[in-house]
């Protein structure tokens, strides 16, 4: 079981992991060892609540396909076990991200005194710059 929060867990049979060869430079180890992990998690078929599924779709993350499958490729580490752990942690973070509720922004307005202070400082700066300019002789 993959525990997301106190009351949310994902059974292991819903997470599909396959070992593949890593990309990029690395010499013989990369060429002959399948150390990268390809994790697939189907949101639609999962046992998550409907609210959680909707929030995951609302994330508009690149890792979520149009069919509702989360695809994570972990190839950062040399060993398959470390990459497996990395992929699971990234899935866990993605699902946790769906449960974070953004606070609604309350528009605020500067007080009259704050507006006056701002205008006074602008006028002061303007005076300083005027004094820096050359004095024209008439």
């Amino acid at each position: 079981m993959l525990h997301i929060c106190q009351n949310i867990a994902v059974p292991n049979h819903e997470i599909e992991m396959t070992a593949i060869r890593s990309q990029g430079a690395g010499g013989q180890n990369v060429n002959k060892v399948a150390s990268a992990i390809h994790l697939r998690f189907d949101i639609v078929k999962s046992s998550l609540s409907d609210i959680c599924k909707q929030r995951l779709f609302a994330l508009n993350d690149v890792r979520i396909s149009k069919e509702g499958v989360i695809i994570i490729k972990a190839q950062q580490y040399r060993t398959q076990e470390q990459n497996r752990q990395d992929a699971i942690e990234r899935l866990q973070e993605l699902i946790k991200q769906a449960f974070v509720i953004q606070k609604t922004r309350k528009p605020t307005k500067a007080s009259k005194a704050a507006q006056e202070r701002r205008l006074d400082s602008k006028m002061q700066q303007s005076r300083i710059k005027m004094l820096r300019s050359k004095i024209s002789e008439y």
Side-chain angles (χ1 to χ4, degrees):
M1 282 290 245
L2 173 64
H3 293 282
I4 309 299
C5 297
Q6 295 173 345
N7 53 356
I8 299 166
V10 176
N12 288 336
H13 65 85
E14 291 181 2
I15 302 169
E16 178 188 330
M17 284 191 264
T18 53
I20 56 173
R21 287 189 181 163
S22 296
Q23 293 178 328
Q28 292 177 346
N29 189 59
V30 170
N31 295 336
K32 66 182 182 181
V33 179
S35 61
I37 295 294
H38 207 211
L39 183 141
R40 295 175 66 84
F41 177 72
D42 195 347
I43 299 170
V44 180
K45 295 180 183 176
S46 70
S47 61
L48 294 173
S49 65
D50 291 335
I51 297 165
C52 182
K53 290 177 185 180
Q54 288 173 357
R55 286 185 179 172
L56 275 170
F57 280 119
L59 284 178
N60 289 329
D61 198 293
V62 222
R63 297 171 287 187
I64 302 173
S65 68
K66 292 177 185 174
E67 294 81 32
V69 179
I70 298 174
I71 302 169
I72 297 174
K73 184 176 181 182
Q75 61 180 7
Q76 183 178 358
Y77 300 102
R78 263 180 84 92
T79 63
Q80 196 178 95
E81 188 54 42
Q82 284 178 314
N83 283 327
R84 181 177 283 119
Q85 190 63 36
D86 182 41
I88 289 172
E89 287 172 5
R90 284 163 49 189
L91 175 67
Q92 197 172 16
E93 286 300 315
L94 185 66
I95 296 173
K96 276 184 185 178
Q97 193 178 13
F99 283 98
V100 174
I101 300 170
Q102 294 287 329
K103 290 184 180 179
T104 54
R105 185 187 173 276
K106 295 177 185 173
T108 58
K109 189 177 178 182
S111 66
K112 189 146 184 129
Q115 287 177 1
E116 287 177 14
R117 282 194 303 269
R118 191 183 114 257
L119 292 174
D120 287 344
S121 68
K122 284 178 77 166
M123 281 203 291
Q124 176 102 19
Q125 193 67 25
S126 173
R127 284 190 202 113
I128 291 170
K129 287 191 172 195
M130 274 179 39
L131 291 173
R132 286 186 202 151
S133 64
K134 290 183 180 180
I135 301 170
S136 58
E137 294 180 25
Y138 288 106

